[in-house]
């Protein structure tokens, strides 16, 4: 027999006990191994069959039966020292006796090792339950008996689920039996969290366990050992900690101020939602990071990194507050003026275990305080910050005092006009007008306004002087440079002229459309009547003329008539497209911003530029090479189509003229070329339009003034100097965009336009 306890022994002992009690109906099945145990099983079965029909008194008269029964009862009571007498006749009693004696010796030797194993199992601090391969309980150690409420003897042979009743602590539903999974998969299995064992008396224990297979020497699973322990106290402690943690988290999340906690090393352990919002850090990402990385603070006045309050707390063990004018720089660069304090976190022994930092956004308060502090300063400096020129004039026109943000704005240096009369400083006609205004103010006490031109820096500038009473004998003259405003007025007039021209162009386009439609329709009808062999009317007319339609078509094709009609149709369609572009460009805008495809808008403008009469008078636009570099999947742009076409046409016109001048100067080596680019600047929210030419370029001084009204480098009568200034105004003012030019002398010019992808509506 093997050293491991064969499960057949349990069955044999059970049958012996039944035979000892007079129950002769029990039977056992041989395993086929033909060993000692099989011999005993066979003998017991024969013994039971032999006496199954006899009464108990008859069995008791047989001495051999009594002897066998004594041994059986002894083995059943775990007494393995009693031996059965063996005769020499070799009957069934001898066979049973030999088997019983061999079994007693085997069990006696096994009991020694089993006792040692029992002492080990019973000494384990965890509960142990062993089952057979069917999941029935074989034994329990004392700890398992205490937790389940079942004695090992009572539990033996019962299903594990009856002894080991487990449920989910949260749902109260029956938990999965781990032994079944072990027997099915042959692997070690652990219990799920929150598993409760219900003892025999109803007591509940929170447990943790694992179940492992019991294998024989051949690796076959013969049962399962279940090891578990009572973790009720630890479970309740953990639940209490979790509840405490949840309560703390809820409290911190409800605080209106921002809260950051750190450990003893100054690394972040916790942020509440307000702190997440101000710092821009999510709590999960911030945990473990140095505080200085998450809580980036600088001085609002110097911009230098501020002292870390947590480091001060860890060093001094005292509560520390931030200095005034401290700015928190969030993760996305947003700046907040903050006020805060940092305090140590101490354990029961008074040892510092971390720091809690509490701060709040005081940006509005800070700005209000700054406004209040600077109010007096601003009032004091208001006059000095006034952008216009201010002069104090006496009754006789003498300059008494002045104010200017920049002395370069003055017509003459202060030392040349202070204390002197107006006629000694200003041009005569202006001095006379000023005298007249001063006298009227003194006489009437009412505002007088006088506008006048004045040459300064080689340019004509326009000013407006407002004269108001200053005291009983002096007058205050507030002088404003209105050159830009006057130029804008002239731009408006020019724009009206352009609208008038546009209306004329629209009228002409309509007049062209009418005969053009008739011409194209006639060409189509002619083609149909001369070449369509299937049309009944054509066939009848040909028969009446004594000729076939096939002959007519052959004649027409030999003379190229269909090709000519096709050319007429194509030319008509081209004219129609030109007219359509003219109408689109000339149509009066209604300041409505619609979404437009920039590729389509730029291509349509190119077509319009190629058919512009004035452009073609000075150069042939078709000879200019056009290179298109359009980015794919460009978003639509909200804009006024007509105005943007006006801008693009101005740039194309100027570039074409510049390249023509370069060609006229006999400069060779490159063919006139435009490179048109469309790009999407996603981060900035722009669509960028670039128009690059290979013309002569421009000097830096010219480049800086190219968008000024009335500035032009063309000969007198050729240009007005308004085209690019109007374009700049349309892009920057009407469309909230940007416009610039990049150029070097001899290297061409690139005009760059940026238009916003989304348009912010102006508030009323």
């Amino acid at each position: 027999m093997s050293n491991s306890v064969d499960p057949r022994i349990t069955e044999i002992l059970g049958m012996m006990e039944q035979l000892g009690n007079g129950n002769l109906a029990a039977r056992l099945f041989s395993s086929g191994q033909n060993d000692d145990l099989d011999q005993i099983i066979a003998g017991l079965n024969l013994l039971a069959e032999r006496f199954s029909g006899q009464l108990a008194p008859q069995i008791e008269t047989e001495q051999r039966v009594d002897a066998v029964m004594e041994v059986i009862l002894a083995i059943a009571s775990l007494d393995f020292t009693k031996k059965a007498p063996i005769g020499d006749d070799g009957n069934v009693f001898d066979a049973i006796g030999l088997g019983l004696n061999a079994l007693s010796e085997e069990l006696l030797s096994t009991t020694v090792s089993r006792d040692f194993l029992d002492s080990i199992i019973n000494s384990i601090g965890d509960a142990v339950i062993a089952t057979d391969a069917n999941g029935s309980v074989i034994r329990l150690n004392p700890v398992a008996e205490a937790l389940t409420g079942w004695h090992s003897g009572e539990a033996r042979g019962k299903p594990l689920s009856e002894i080991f009743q487990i449920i989910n602590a949260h749902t109260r539903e029956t938990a999965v039996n781990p032994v079944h999974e072990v027997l099915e998969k042959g692997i070690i299995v652990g219990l799920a969290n929150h598993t409760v064992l219900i003892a025999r008396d109803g007591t509940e224990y929170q447990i943790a366990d694992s179940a492992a297979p019991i294998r024989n020497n051949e690796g076959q699973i013969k049962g399962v050992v279940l090891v578990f322990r009572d973790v009720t106290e630890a479970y309740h402690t953990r639940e209490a900690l979790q509840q405490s943690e949840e309560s703390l988290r809820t409290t911190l999340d409800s605080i209106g101020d921002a809260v950051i906690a750190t450990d003893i090393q100054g690394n972040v352990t916790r942020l509440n939602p307000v702190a997440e919002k101000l710092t821009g850090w999510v709590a999960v990402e911030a945990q473990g990071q140095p505080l200085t990385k998450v809580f980036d603070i600088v001085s609002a006045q110097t911009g230098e990194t501020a002292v870390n309050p947590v480091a001060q707390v860890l060093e001094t063990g005292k509560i520390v507050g931030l200095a005034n004018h401290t700015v928190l720089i969030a993760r996305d660069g947003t700046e907040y003026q903050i006020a805060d304090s940092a305090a140590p976190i101490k354990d029961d022994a008074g040892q510092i275990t971390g720091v809690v930092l509490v701060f709040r956004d005081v940006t509005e308060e800070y700005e209000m305080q700054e406004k209040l502090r600077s109010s007096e300063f601003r009032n004091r400096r208001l006059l000095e910050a006034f952008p216009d020129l201010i002069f104090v004039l006496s009754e006789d026109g003498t300059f008494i005092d002045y104010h200017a943000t920049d002395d370069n704005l003055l017509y003459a240096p202060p030392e040349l006009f202070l204390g002197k009369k107006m006629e000694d400083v200003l041009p005569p006609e202006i001095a006379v007008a000023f005298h007249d205004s001063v006298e009227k103010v003194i006489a009437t006490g009412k505002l007088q306004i006088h506008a006048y031109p004045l040459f300064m820096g080689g340019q004509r500038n326009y000013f407006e002087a407002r004269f108001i009473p200053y005291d009983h004998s002096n007058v205050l003259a507030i002088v404003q440079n209105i050159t830009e405003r006057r130029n804008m007025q002239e731009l408006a007039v020019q724009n009206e002229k352009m609208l008038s021209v546009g209306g004329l162009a629209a009228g002409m386009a309509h007049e062209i459309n009418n005969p053009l439609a008739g011409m194209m329709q006639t060409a189509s009808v002619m083609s149909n009547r001369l070449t369509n062999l299937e049309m009944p009317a054509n066939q009848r007319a040909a028969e009446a003329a004594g000729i076939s339609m096939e002959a007519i078509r052959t004649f027409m094709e030999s003379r190229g008539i269909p090709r000519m009609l096709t050319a007429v149709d194509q030319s008509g369609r081209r004219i129609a497209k030109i007219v359509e572009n003219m109408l689109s460009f000339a149509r009066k805008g209604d300041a409505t911003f619609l979404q437009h495809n920039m590729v389509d808008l730029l291509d349509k403008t190119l077509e319009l530029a190629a058919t512009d009469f004035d452009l073609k008078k000075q150069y042939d636009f078709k000879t200019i090479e056009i290179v298109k570099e359009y980015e794919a999947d460009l978003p639509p742009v909200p804009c006024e189509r007509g105005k943007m076409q006006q801008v693009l046409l101005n740039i194309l016109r100027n570039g074409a003229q510049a390249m023509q001048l370069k060609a006229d100067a006999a400069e060779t080596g490159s063919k006139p070329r435009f490179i048109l680019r469309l790009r999407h600047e996603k981060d900035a929210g722009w669509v960028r339009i670039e128009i690059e030419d290979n013309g002569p370029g421009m000097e830096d001084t010219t480049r800086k003034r190219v968008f000024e009204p009335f500035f032009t480098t063309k000969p007198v009568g050729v240009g007005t100097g308004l085209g690019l200034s109007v374009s700049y105004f349309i892009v920057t003012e009407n469309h909230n965009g940007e416009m610039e030019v990049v150029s070097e002398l001899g290297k061409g010019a690139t005009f760059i336009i940026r238009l916003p992808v989304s348009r912010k509506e102006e508030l009323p």
Side-chain angles (χ1 to χ4, degrees):
M1 298 177 67
S2 61
N3 292 332
S4 59
V5 179
D6 195 302
R8 289 176 295 170
I9 294 175
T10 303
E11 298 176 0
I12 291 172
L13 293 175
M15 184 173 181
M16 288 179 178
E17 185 175 1
Q18 293 184 58
L19 291 174
N21 293 328
N23 179 14
L24 303 179
R27 295 292 187 273
L28 295 178
F29 293 95
S30 172
S31 66
Q33 298 181 22
N34 200 24
D35 54 9
D36 291 339
L37 292 179
D38 271 356
Q39 293 180 20
I40 294 172
I41 290 172
L44 290 175
N45 287 337
L46 286 174
L47 181 64
E49 289 176 2
R50 180 173 179 180
F51 295 103
S52 60
Q54 300 182 28
L55 297 175
Q58 293 176 311
I59 296 176
E60 292 175 354
T61 61
E62 295 286 346
Q63 294 182 354
R64 299 291 296 276
V65 173
D66 291 342
V68 170
M69 294 305 297
E70 287 180 7
V71 176
I72 291 174
L73 293 175
I75 293 176
S77 62
L78 302 181
D79 179 7
F80 307 126
T81 61
K82 197 171 188 61
K83 303 298 182 185
I86 305 298
D88 54 3
D89 51 0
N91 60 22
V92 68
F93 292 105
D94 289 338
I96 293 175
L98 288 172
L100 290 175
N101 292 342
L103 178 60
S104 295
E105 291 177 2
E106 178 68 18
L107 292 177
L108 183 61
S109 62
T110 304
T111 301
V112 176
S113 59
R114 186 178 65 185
D115 290 343
F116 179 69
L117 178 62
D118 287 346
S119 64
I120 293 175
I121 294 176
N122 292 339
S123 300
I124 294 176
D126 289 346
V128 179
I129 299 178
T131 76
D132 59 20
N134 297 318
S136 298
V137 174
I138 295 176
R139 66 172 301 155
L140 288 79
N141 75 343
V143 180
E145 290 179 333
L147 291 180
T148 63
W150 285 84
H151 187 272
S152 182
E154 295 177 295
R156 185 181 296 117
K158 294 184 179 297
L160 177 69
S161 57
E162 182 177 346
I163 308 303
F164 188 68
Q165 297 186 31
I166 53 175
I167 62 172
N168 183 285
H170 292 165
T171 65
R172 305 296 295 180
E173 294 181 356
T174 301
V176 177
N177 189 327
V179 171
H180 292 165
E181 190 171 357
V182 172
L183 292 173
E184 179 181 348
K185 299 180 180 179
I187 60 174
I188 298 175
V189 175
L191 276 181
N193 294 330
H194 314 295
T195 299
V196 170
L197 168 65
I198 302 177
R200 193 174 187 181
D201 62 359
T203 305
E204 296 186 0
Y205 300 95
Q206 190 76 30
I207 62 169
D209 88 336
S210 65
I214 301 173
R215 299 178 185 270
N216 61 16
N217 293 339
E218 288 76 26
Q220 296 175 331
I221 297 177
K222 295 299 182 179
V224 176
V225 59
L226 182 68
V227 182
F228 57 98
R229 64 185 182 277
D230 179 11
V231 294
T232 304
E233 184 176 351
Y235 178 81
H236 290 327
T237 301
R238 185 170 64 251
E239 288 289 301
L241 287 175
Q242 290 177 349
Q243 291 177 1
S244 177
E245 172 70 15
E246 180 65 20
S247 177
L248 176 60
R249 186 188 65 80
T250 302
T251 301
L252 290 178
D253 291 352
S254 302
I255 294 176
D257 289 346
V259 179
I260 299 178
T262 75
D263 56 21
I264 194 68
Q265 284 79 33
N267 296 324
V268 175
T269 59
R270 181 190 298 275
L271 281 81
N272 73 342
V274 181
E276 288 182 326
K277 178 181 178 182
L278 293 181
T279 63
W281 282 80
V282 180
V284 176
E285 296 178 351
Q287 286 177 355
Q289 298 285 352
L291 177 71
T292 52
K293 185 175 182 180
V294 178
F295 189 67
D296 184 12
I297 52 175
V298 299
S299 169
Q301 297 174 329
T302 66
E304 296 179 356
T305 301
V307 177
N308 187 336
V310 170
Q312 289 181 291
V313 171
L314 293 173
E315 180 180 349
T316 64
K318 298 179 179 179
I319 297 176
V320 175
L322 276 181
N324 293 330
H325 313 293
T326 300
V327 170
L328 168 65
I329 302 177
R331 196 175 188 180
D332 62 357
T334 305
E335 296 186 358
Y336 300 96
Q337 190 75 31
I338 62 170
D340 89 335
S341 64
I345 301 173
K346 296 183 179 181
D347 58 18
D348 295 339
Q351 297 295 318
I352 296 177
T353 59
V355 176
V356 60
L357 182 68
V358 182
F359 58 99
R360 65 184 185 279
D361 179 12
V362 296
T363 304
E364 292 186 5
E365 301 173 23
Y366 179 81
E367 291 176 351
M368 183 62 68
Q369 292 173 357
E370 285 297 301
K371 289 178 181 178
L372 292 174
R373 281 193 293 266
S374 63
S375 177
E376 182 181 354
F377 175 80
R378 289 201 313 273
N379 290 334
R380 186 172 63 251
R381 302 289 294 184
L382 180 61
L383 184 61
E384 297 178 5
F386 201 67
D388 298 334
L389 300 173
I390 301 176
F391 300 94
V392 179
L393 303 172
S394 66
E395 186 175 1
D396 62 358
T398 300
F399 289 96
I400 298 175
D401 199 0
Y402 84 102
H403 160 71
T405 55
D406 184 358
D407 284 354
N408 292 324
L409 300 176
L410 297 170
Y411 179 68
E415 60 271 17
L416 296 183
F417 69 82
L418 285 178
K420 296 182 180 180
K421 293 186 177 182
M422 291 182 289
E423 56 266 26
D424 298 330
V425 180
L426 298 173
E429 65 276 10
I430 297 177
V432 171
F434 273 28
H435 267 297
D436 182 58
S437 296
V438 168
E439 291 175 357
K440 289 181 178 178
V441 168
I442 293 176
T444 65
K446 295 182 179 180
L447 169 70
Q448 299 295 318
I449 300 175
H450 177 65
Y452 59 94
L454 193 63
F455 279 92
M456 294 178 61
Q459 289 186 342
R460 179 187 293 270
N461 289 271
Y462 293 89
F463 295 89
E464 181 181 82
R466 292 172 174 263
F467 299 89
I468 58 175
Y470 184 61
D471 53 31
H472 66 283
S473 60
N474 295 325
V475 173
L476 200 65
I478 302 174
V479 179
Q480 182 181 26
N481 190 324
I482 61 169
T483 304
E484 183 176 354
R485 186 176 72 189
R486 184 182 176 92
N487 289 340
M488 292 306 300
Q489 291 173 346
E490 293 185 6
L491 284 178
V493 173
Q494 179 67 18
N495 191 45
E496 288 298 324
K497 291 181 180 179
M498 293 179 68
L499 290 176
S500 299
V501 172
L504 179 61
M508 293 177 61
H510 282 296
E511 291 298 324
I512 293 173
N513 262 338
N514 293 329
L516 177 63
M519 180 188 74
M520 292 180 66
Q521 184 177 4
T522 300
S524 176
V525 171
M526 289 178 63
S527 176
N528 198 30
R529 292 187 177 185
L530 292 174
T531 61
N532 191 337
L533 303 180
E534 305 299 328
M535 183 181 290
N538 288 350
Q539 294 175 351
R540 288 194 299 272
E543 290 175 359
I547 191 172
S548 67
M549 281 300 301
E550 288 79 2
I552 294 174
R553 186 173 68 176
T554 301
F555 171 78
M556 292 297 171
E557 289 178 349
S558 66
R559 298 297 295 159
I561 302 302
R563 176 177 53 79
M564 295 177 185
L565 290 175
T566 300
V568 170
D569 182 70
Q570 291 176 346
S571 298
R573 292 179 184 277
R574 186 166 178 269
I575 294 171
K577 192 169 186 179
I578 293 171
V579 170
E580 180 184 354
N581 285 340
M582 290 176 61
L583 286 172
S584 175
F585 176 69
R587 189 176 292 115
K588 183 177 180 181
D590 58 358
T592 299
F593 280 70
L594 300 176
Q595 299 285 348
H596 289 287
N597 184 318
M598 286 293 103
V599 173
D600 177 69
L601 182 63
L602 194 51
D603 287 347
K604 288 293 179 62
T605 306
L606 277 174
E607 294 176 7
L608 193 62
T611 58
D612 188 284
F613 180 74
D614 289 336
L615 292 179
K616 293 178 69 176
K617 271 184 73 174
Q618 300 180 32
Y619 54 84
D620 186 359
F621 197 90
K622 295 177 182 177
T623 64
I624 300 175
E625 179 186 1
I626 305 296
V627 179
K628 300 178 181 180
E629 298 178 0
Y630 298 164
E631 185 178 292
D633 300 324
L634 290 170
V637 175
C639 64
E640 294 184 67
R641 184 183 182 92
K643 288 187 176 180
M644 285 311 304
Q645 281 191 313
Q646 179 182 347
V647 171
L648 297 173
L649 273 175
N650 281 333
I651 297 173
L652 292 171
R653 178 187 293 115
N654 287 341
Q657 290 176 353
M659 290 188 288
Q660 181 66 37
L661 290 174
K662 183 177 179 180
D664 292 343
E667 295 185 18
T668 60
S670 63
K671 178 182 178 181
R673 181 185 70 241
F674 278 122
I675 300 178
L676 309 180
R677 300 185 183 93
L678 288 172
R679 298 286 186 271
H680 183 198
E681 298 179 353
K682 296 180 181 179
D683 293 340
W686 303 102
V687 165
R688 186 176 74 245
I689 307 170
E690 292 185 13
I691 301 178
E692 177 183 335
D693 64 55
N694 61 350
M698 61 187 83
E699 298 176 344
D700 194 52
T701 53
T702 302
R703 181 187 63 79
K704 291 179 179 179
R705 299 187 59 195
V706 73
F707 296 121
E708 291 182 8
F710 306 103
F711 175 79
T712 181
T713 58
K714 299 173 185 176
V716 176
V718 175
T720 63
L722 291 174
L724 289 178
S725 61
V726 169
S727 299
Y728 185 84
F729 181 84
I730 290 173
V731 171
T732 59
E733 296 297 325
N734 291 358
H735 291 79
N736 295 321
E738 296 179 356
M739 186 174 180
E740 62 177 311
V741 59
V742 178
S743 179
E744 292 184 30
L745 192 62
K747 296 184 178 180
T750 301
F751 283 83
I752 302 173
I753 299 171
R754 292 182 176 87
L755 297 176
V757 174
S758 59
R759 182 171 183 266
K760 296 181 179 178
E761 297 294 338
E762 297 182 356
L763 296 175

